[in-house]
Amino acid sequence: SQPYDHVALAAGQPLMQARLGLAQTVARLLLVAATAWLTRSLDAVLLALGAFAVLRWLCVFVYAFRSTAFGRPRIDLTLGVTQLRYAAAFGTGASLFALRPQIDGWIAAIRFDAVAVAVIGIAASAAPLVGILRTAFTQAVLPSIAQAVADRRLGDALRLNRDANLHVAAVVLPAVSLLFVVAPEVISIAFTPAFAQAADPLRLYLIGYVLCAVEVSTLVQSLGYGRFVLIQGLVLTAFSAVLAVLAAASLGLAWLPLGALASAALGAALNLAYLARRNGVPWRQLQHWPALAMLCAVAVLTAAASLAALDAVLGEADRWSRLAAGCAVHGLLWLVAAASIRTLRSLYGAWWPRRWTWAS
């Protein structure tokens, strides 16, 4: 039933896809909760989830039959083979990309103990938040990028990707910077002080998450560079595993995510270089480099100033006080930067409605 998650997006209706996603999340939550409460049976919950998957399939077919964008569904073997050839390399590459974060846990289990596995799992717990923020922007612009590529308007596709990445950076960088500051407090509160050592690996992962602000994999996929994605996935997976093993052996558990961080940086650089070389695009046109550099500088300075203020004023204060103070200081510093730096003021100002009405 995976087409349910993409069918409206493929038709160029990202808002409809967002509504479908929200509706199915709420419906599944209510169905599972009601089944569990009424039956107190795991078997019944599994049956309910199966029935929900069938319902998703029915919704896909109803949408396909009624949508003027697709017309009446039919089986086309030639088109199916073409799609399979196109998707196989991308699917394998995506699977390898999803596999890389799991490698750290496996190495922790082999090299250390069960506590180390939990530490690495906790350290990677911020990934879903960053993924949601990244995916929200990607899904919004993906239909337009795909249409621009289909119309051979590469310049428009690059512009859409540049603008989306800049807005992602404006959201992700302050969040990552704040989590970097309060990582020990968040982990101690959410997972108890027994796992406080997860703060350092978490900070390494957070540095890697910043790279989602220069994402061009959407363009790479839209342009059909499947072979490149597959080869890159194989190389980076091996590279990440080897570097993680070496880091764990020589530097300890805290540095185990170094492999994931380095492979993420190398992957972003390879994507940018390949895109520029294949299409003859100057590097300066790939991203809004000055604005991204400004956001990164503000994130680093804000995090450093917040940490210095916390250590100078609160020192060994309790975790709740440090968490509250860290959020307050970081938020204040970021607001000051956003208000005083023209680049950031223009960027964030573009989000604010020019005129509020009751209808809005």
Side-chain angles (χ1 to χ4, degrees):
S1 60
Q2 192 177 12
Y4 182 94
D5 299 323
H6 303 282
V7 62
L9 190 65
Q13 301 177 22
L15 209 57
M16 174 61 73
Q17 190 67 66
R19 294 192 184 106
L20 287 173
L22 181 60
Q24 69 126 359
T25 299
V26 173
R28 182 170 56 188
L29 176 63
L30 294 176
L31 177 63
V32 170
T35 303
W37 185 71
L38 292 173
T39 65
R40 309 284 181 177
S41 169
L42 181 59
D43 292 338
V45 170
L46 293 176
L47 287 174
L49 288 173
F52 189 79
V54 173
L55 179 61
R56 279 163 52 98
W57 265 112
L58 292 176
C59 289
V60 169
F61 279 111
V62 169
Y63 183 89
F65 272 104
R66 298 183 59 183
S67 173
T68 56
F70 293 112
R72 186 178 181 84
R74 59 190 178 87
I75 297 176
D76 188 332
L77 292 179
T78 302
L79 179 61
V81 171
T82 302
Q83 289 177 334
L84 182 60
R85 288 176 177 173
Y86 176 84
F90 288 111
T92 305
S95 299
L96 290 169
F97 179 81
L99 178 65
R100 290 206 296 272
Q102 309 299 322
I103 292 176
D104 292 348
W106 299 341
I107 295 172
I110 296 171
R111 177 76 188 179
F112 300 102
D113 52 22
V115 175
V117 176
V119 166
I120 293 300
I122 291 169
S125 59
L129 171 62
V130 178
I132 289 172
L133 295 175
R134 173 71 259 181
T135 302
F137 284 91
T138 299
Q139 300 286 14
V141 300
L142 182 58
S144 299
I145 288 177
Q147 186 62 54
V149 170
D151 295 339
R152 300 182 183 277
R153 294 182 286 110
L154 181 60
D156 291 342
L158 287 169
R159 177 182 55 80
L160 288 166
N161 178 258
R162 283 196 306 267
D163 293 345
N165 283 344
L166 183 59
H167 289 290
V168 167
V171 175
V172 170
L173 282 174
V176 166
S177 179
L178 174 60
L179 282 175
F180 191 94
V181 171
V182 298
E185 290 73 30
V186 169
I187 289 175
S188 295
I189 292 171
F191 301 101
T192 75
F195 296 101
Q197 59 180 319
D200 290 335
L202 171 59
R203 284 170 168 164
L204 275 180
Y205 281 126
L206 289 172
I207 295 173
Y209 298 153
V210 172
L211 295 169
C212 75
V214 289
E215 181 271 338
V216 292
S217 57
T218 304
L219 284 171
V220 171
Q221 182 175 353
S222 298
L223 290 166
Y225 301 146
R227 183 179 178 184
F228 167 74
V229 171
L230 176 58
I231 295 173
Q232 183 196 76
L234 292 170
V235 172
L236 290 182
T237 300
F239 173 75
S240 177
V242 171
L243 190 55
V245 169
L246 294 175
S250 57
L251 300 174
L253 178 64
W255 291 91
L256 197 156
L258 191 61
L261 172 59
S263 64
L266 181 58
L270 288 174
N271 280 334
L272 289 165
Y274 191 81
L275 187 65
R277 185 178 66 84
R278 281 292 301 265
N279 298 279
V281 179
W283 275 72
R284 66 178 181 276
Q285 295 182 11
L286 290 175
Q287 300 296 325
H288 292 294
W289 297 116
L292 290 174
M294 176 66 70
L295 279 165
C296 287
V298 171
V300 171
L301 293 174
T302 301
S306 300
L307 283 171
L310 282 179
D311 292 338
V313 176
L314 293 182
E316 299 297 328
D318 67 278
R319 52 193 177 179
W320 283 102
S321 298
R322 287 181 60 89
L323 176 62
C327 292
V329 172
H330 185 278
L332 179 61
L333 291 175
W334 195 275
L335 285 175
V336 170
S340 58
I341 300 174
R342 185 173 64 179
T343 301
L344 302 188
R345 190 166 61 246
S346 300
L347 176 60
Y348 289 114
W351 298 358
W352 195 260
R354 294 184 178 274
R355 181 174 60 187
W356 286 96
T357 65
W358 288 108
S360 64

